[in-house]
Amino acid sequence: KATVSVLYCQKMSLVRCLCLVVLATSVANGARKVKKKTTENAGNMVDFPDAVAMGVEEMAQKVREDGVVRVDGVVGREAVKSLYDAVVLGLPEQPMEHHNLQLPLLEPVVNVTKDVLRVVGPVFDILFGGDSVLYELCSLVNLNGALRQRTHADFHYPEPHEEAPSEMYSVLLALHDVTRDMGPTEIFPGTHTKESHLEYCEHGCDDEIMEKAQQTAQLATLKAGDLLILDSRIIHRGGPSTHPDPRAYLWLSFLSLPERHPPGSPPTVLSSYVSKFLMSDREEWLRTALLKESEFAGEAEVSGTRYNFRRLAEVNPSLFLNPEL
């Protein structure tokens, strides 16, 4: 632009020419600054780093320090695809943008859960320092057009006059390859501490306040079968989706014993599962769940598929005592 302006000076006064050169240079510099700022803003949200091979003790320590650790390739693609298909089929006919679909312990759920707990169970045992109970078993689903969630933590530190709730640790498992345009969960590592909650969430995790921590945000752009182990107090939010396909994670949480439920965070499992499944008995109740599945085989003809969770709930309410999302 400056070169064009100099050539154009042949038909202008010197003063007008210099003004044009200055103006053109300013516009060019401004454009560069805008481009740089846009790039920097986009760069604040980085993909979650690839997993690093580590032992059970190291994974537990990583969760204690950062509030989150990534573990890759925990569940095979065929198993997670089976569960993903069942989850998508189980969504309401007129779905909302966000869903929290509680899951029954039928084959696709059990198969994935067994693989997850084979890896995560020993880590939870170390973190809890004792036994724990299943508290959440659901799928977190984002649909096309979903907006970014408000920033939040699932558990908060109690006020001085409140009884401390039990500890809770969670698993976020990708049921397919999650891309940026699907609205991956945005995690803020290191924000599981009391100090972070006081700084960012003293009066609710306000999005403007959270901009202070934006440089630490990491996107859960996981591959199918990869997972994150999280401290439930870590600050996070679901991202916006522009992808035509549903984004779905398995969300699995355990609560330390004795159970002291946190205010505002009821169990996200079917009501018949509340306070029922201990981590120490995981092999037994997962095996039993598969044996009991034969009881539901007769529903396949009615529902069209054995794993249409929502349809099964309609034809057999006793199977899902709390089928609502």
Side-chain angles (χ1 to χ4, degrees):
K1 290 182 182 297
T3 302
V4 173
S5 300
V6 170
L7 293 175
Y8 197 55
C9 281
Q10 296 174 1
K11 297 183 180 180
M12 288 184 168
S13 67
L14 180 60
V15 173
R16 290 180 64 193
C17 175
L18 290 175
C19 289
L20 182 58
V21 171
V22 170
L23 177 61
T25 303
S26 298
V27 169
N29 288 339
R32 282 193 291 270
K33 288 180 180 178
V34 170
K35 183 177 181 181
K36 182 178 180 182
K37 184 177 181 181
T38 302
T39 302
E40 288 174 347
N41 287 342
N44 284 337
M45 288 290 185
V46 299
D47 294 330
F48 208 93
D50 292 339
V52 176
M54 57 181 71
V56 172
E57 291 277 0
E58 292 175 294
M59 285 190 279
Q61 185 60 30
K62 187 72 172 175
V63 175
R64 290 193 184 104
E65 293 175 354
D66 296 342
V68 59
V69 66
R70 175 172 177 170
V71 189
D72 287 349
V74 175
V75 184
R77 282 185 170 270
E78 184 176 343
V80 292
K81 185 181 185 306
S82 176
L83 180 51
Y84 176 80
D85 291 344
V87 165
V88 172
L89 191 63
L91 294 174
E93 294 181 1
Q94 296 180 334
M96 301 176 292
E97 294 176 352
H98 296 281
H99 283 285
N100 188 336
L101 183 64
Q102 297 172 4
L103 299 176
L105 285 169
L106 298 182
E107 186 177 13
V109 181
V110 171
N111 287 343
V112 169
T113 302
K114 285 172 64 177
D115 288 343
V116 168
L117 294 186
R118 189 177 297 114
V119 173
V120 174
V123 180
F124 278 9
D125 291 341
I126 295 173
L127 289 170
F128 287 123
D131 211 353
S132 56
V133 65
L134 180 68
Y135 197 72
E136 296 180 307
L137 178 61
C138 57
S139 182
L140 308 180
V141 183
N142 250 13
L143 298 181
N144 185 19
L147 303 177
R148 175 175 278 114
Q149 282 186 317
R150 285 194 60 82
T151 309
H152 66 282
D154 293 337
F155 267 33
H156 293 272
Y157 288 88
E159 298 293 334
H161 62 279
E162 295 176 337
E163 180 184 28
S166 300
E167 287 188 296
M168 186 171 83
Y169 292 95
S170 303
V171 170
L172 184 75
L173 172 79
L175 299 183
H176 54 91
D177 293 347
V178 179
T179 57
R180 282 182 166 233
D181 56 351
M182 288 181 167
T185 298
E186 301 168 4
I187 310 286
F188 295 86
T191 58
H192 60 303
T193 64
K194 188 172 185 178
E195 292 74 19
S196 291
H197 279 227
L198 288 173
E199 183 175 0
Y200 303 120
C201 300
E202 186 174 8
H203 304 292
C205 301
D206 187 276
D207 286 344
E208 293 182 4
I209 296 176
M210 280 306 301
E211 289 181 3
K212 297 179 183 178
Q214 191 75 291
Q215 71 275 8
T216 67
Q218 297 181 350
L219 303 177
T221 47
L222 308 175
K223 297 295 184 183
D226 297 348
L227 62 77
L228 301 178
I229 303 174
L230 304 114
D231 186 311
S232 64
R233 294 165 293 198
I234 200 166
I235 298 172
H236 63 283
R237 63 193 177 204
S241 175
T242 59
H243 197 282
D245 296 330
R247 181 227 70 190
Y249 296 110
L250 173 70
W251 184 259
L252 178 72
S253 300
F254 279 78
L255 192 74
S256 64
L257 297 177
E259 288 185 69
R260 294 187 299 274
H261 297 184
S265 296
T268 312
V269 291
L270 298 174
S271 58
S272 56
Y273 294 174
V274 174
S275 303
K276 186 174 181 179
F277 300 119
L278 296 177
M279 177 66 81
S280 58
D281 296 332
R282 56 187 178 272
E283 292 185 8
E284 176 62 22
W285 56 260
L286 285 169
R287 182 184 65 82
T288 303
L290 279 179
L291 291 176
K292 287 185 176 180
E293 186 187 357
S294 60
E295 300 174 13
F296 315 130
E299 306 293 352
E301 295 180 5
V302 180
S303 65
T305 173
R306 171 180 258 169
Y307 303 129
N308 183 336
F309 300 147
R310 180 159 294 277
R311 181 65 181 136
L312 283 172
E314 293 171 357
V315 298
N316 185 0
S318 64
L319 172 58
F320 304 99
L321 301 182
N322 184 16
E324 295 302 320
L325 293 175

